[in-house]
Amino acid sequence: MLFFSLDPDVISWSYLLQFVVVVPLAILALKLPAQRWYEAIDLQRVPLKTAVHWITIWLIYWLCSAFLYSHLPLQADPFLHAINGTRHWGLTLTSLLLAPILEEIIFRSCGFRLWRHTRLGLYGTLFLTSLLFMLIHARQYSEPLLGYIFLFGVLLGYAREKTGSILVPIILHALNNLLTVFLVIWLGMAN
C-alpha cells in the first residue's frame, strides 16, 4: 500500500483511489500499439490444471507459514489489532479484489517487464520485486510477518514466471487475503 492508515475506511478509499489511478497508467505504460489491454499486463488465461497446481503449492506454503506463525512469540501488530473483528465490508472487498489486482500489476507485471530481461535475470527480479512488495507492507506488519510477505512475493513471482501470466498470482494473492480477512476481520483471531 502506497499510503498507510489504521482506519479501515481510509485504507479502503485510498486503495480505491490508487487502483483507479495506477491500473490505467500501468496499462498505458506497458501497452504496445497492437496489444489488447490485458496482454499489456500479462493477464493471460491459464489451464485449470495449472491454476490448481499453484493453488496446492500456495496452500502447503500457507499451512507451513501458519504453523510457524502460531509457534513464534510475536507481538500483536498494530494494523492487525486495528482491523481485528471489525467485519468491515470496504476493507474486505479491498483486500479480496483491489489489493491483489493492483499489487500484482505493479510487481508481477510492471516489475517483471522492467527487470526480467536485464542483468538481474529471473532471480534478481524475484528478489527485487519481492523486496519492494514487502516494503510497501512494512508499516503494516512486524518483521516476522514481513519475512512471510517477502517469501510470498517470491512464490507469486515464480508462479508468474512459470505461467507467463499474472492471473495465477492474482488468484493466489486473493486466496491468501481471503484467509487473512476471514480469520482477522471476520473472526477476530489476530494476536
Side-chain angles (χ1 to χ4, degrees), residues 2 14-28 102:
L2 303 175
S14 67
Y15 240 102
L16 180 61
L17 178 62
Q18 291 172 61
F19 186 88
V20 168
V21 171
V22 173
V23 170
L25 288 176
I27 291 169
L28 285 173
L102 175 65

Side-chain angles (χ1 to χ4, degrees), residues 68-77 142-145 191:
L68 287 174
Y69 181 77
S70 68
H71 287 81
L72 292 175
L74 300 173
Q75 300 175 19
D77 286 301
S142 64
E143 288 79 14
L145 286 178
N191 293 4

Side-chain angles (χ1 to χ4, degrees), residues 55-74 77 80 133 142-156 172 175-177 179-180 183 191:
I55 290 169
T56 304
I57 291 170
W58 163 79
L59 187 57
I60 292 166
Y61 173 75
W62 193 89
L63 290 170
C64 291
S65 298
F67 176 79
L68 287 174
Y69 181 77
S70 68
H71 287 81
L72 292 175
L74 300 173
D77 286 301
L80 293 177
F133 179 64
S142 64
E143 288 79 14
L145 286 178
L146 290 175
Y148 165 80
I149 290 168
F150 176 82
L151 293 175
F152 183 52
V154 172
L155 175 65
L156 294 171
L172 297 180
L175 287 172
N176 193 74
N177 287 4
L179 283 177
T180 303
L183 293 173
N191 293 4

Side-chain angles (χ1 to χ4, degrees), residues 58-125:
W58 163 79
L59 187 57
I60 292 166
Y61 173 75
W62 193 89
L63 290 170
C64 291
S65 298
F67 176 79
L68 287 174
Y69 181 77
S70 68
H71 287 81
L72 292 175
L74 300 173
Q75 300 175 19
D77 286 301
F79 174 67
L80 293 177
H81 181 70
I83 65 172
N84 196 41
T86 61
R87 298 181 179 221
H88 193 276
W89 277 104
L91 191 54
T92 298
L93 294 174
T94 296
S95 299
L96 299 180
L97 299 173
L98 300 181
I101 295 170
L102 175 65
E103 293 174 8
E104 295 314 309
I105 287 173
I106 291 170
F107 299 108
R108 263 54 74 178
S109 186
C110 294
F112 267 68
R113 288 280 180 112
L114 285 171
W115 300 309
R116 174 61 178 94
H117 298 290
T118 67
R119 292 176 133 192
L120 289 175
L122 172 61
Y123 298 114
T125 300

